[in-house]
Amino acid sequence: MQKFPWFTAQRLRDSFSLSTLNRAPAAFSIVILLLSAGWIIASRLPAERVAGEQPAPRPGFLAPDFTLEVAGGGQITLSDLRGKVVLLNLWASWCLPCRAEAPALERAYQLYKDQGVIILGVNATYQDSEQNAAAFVQENGLTFPIVYDRDGAVSRRYALAALPASFFIGRDGVIRSVAVGGLMNESMIQTKIEELLQEGR
């Protein structure tokens, strides 16, 4: 067996000082973080492209219409809710912020439903399941209407980039404000609903 005297444990130790080895994990972590950030930026599409020809919904524009099946039976068409204040909330059962804000949404619904306010929960069923959605609704005691976005068409129309995503819609069907990817607290929800209820009074 041929020996390679230049390749010895001593020479290997001499090639890499202890300080270099100590810095390696930190440097490796930084490189991974930078590569990850670069990938996120490079792969992110503008909202208009995600939604196809439909511009991304934003304040001041008419909320894209849709018809979806309701959990428990029936259908809801968004445009049929004109004349009411609508909080459109896109969610999934695996989404932790969705789970955290669900009780606040239910309390707001109980507080304002007699004043012509509809909270409409759109389950992103194409990346969830009806069984998990139903369990989520039961666990959180939700009584506002829940509809199923089975093929993702509504999520695409609303340029869904993160969950939860909430659209506050005036009585005229126009979006007034949008909250995407963050946890809404009870005060924020109620303030936005109160502002919409005051319109036209």
Side-chain angles (χ1 to χ4, degrees):
M1 180 176 175
Q2 187 177 3
K3 295 183 179 181
F4 299 95
W6 62 88
F7 185 74
T8 63
Q10 181 61 46
R11 287 180 181 268
L12 185 60
R13 283 195 297 272
D14 292 344
S15 299
F16 297 96
S17 68
L18 185 58
S19 61
T20 301
L21 290 174
N22 287 340
R23 288 195 303 268
F28 182 73
S29 297
I30 291 170
V31 169
I32 292 299
L33 286 174
L34 291 174
L35 289 174
S36 299
W39 171 254
I40 290 170
I41 293 168
S43 63
R44 185 176 181 184
L45 294 176
E48 288 80 6
R49 290 182 60 191
V50 173
E53 297 300 319
Q54 173 73 32
R58 55 189 182 272
F61 287 78
L62 196 65
D65 198 17
F66 60 81
T67 299
L68 288 176
E69 290 187 23
V70 182
Q75 292 184 330
I76 286 182
T77 298
L78 183 63
S79 57
D80 288 346
L81 302 178
R82 296 278 171 83
K84 298 181 181 293
V85 168
V86 177
L87 168 48
L88 184 67
N89 178 257
L90 285 80
W91 62 277
S93 64
W94 48 261
C95 163
L96 294 180
C98 300
R99 187 172 295 277
E101 77 178 11
L105 291 170
E106 177 60 27
R107 285 191 291 271
Y109 180 63
Q110 293 300 327
L111 185 61
Y112 295 108
K113 65 181 181 178
D114 294 333
Q115 299 181 51
V117 174
I118 295 290
I119 294 179
L120 186 59
V122 179
N123 175 252
T125 319
Y126 68 103
Q127 53 178 302
D128 202 350
S129 74
E130 291 182 32
Q131 182 179 0
N132 289 341
F136 179 97
V137 169
Q138 185 173 0
E139 289 167 12
N140 290 282
L142 305 182
T143 61
F144 53 84
I146 302 294
V147 294
Y148 294 127
D149 184 17
R150 293 186 176 101
D151 61 3
V154 173
S155 296
R156 288 192 296 274
R157 294 202 74 188
Y158 279 80
L160 182 63
L163 290 170
S166 294
F167 299 82
F168 292 83
I169 303 169
R171 293 186 181 95
D172 55 0
V174 173
I175 298 170
R176 296 295 192 274
S177 62
V178 179
V180 177
L183 173 62
M184 294 191 299
N185 60 36
E186 194 166 350
S187 175
M188 175 184 175
I189 294 169
Q190 293 185 14
T191 296
K192 290 183 178 296
I193 289 175
E194 289 282 356
E195 290 172 354
L196 292 176
L197 287 172
Q198 292 302 317
E199 289 183 358
R201 288 187 178 177

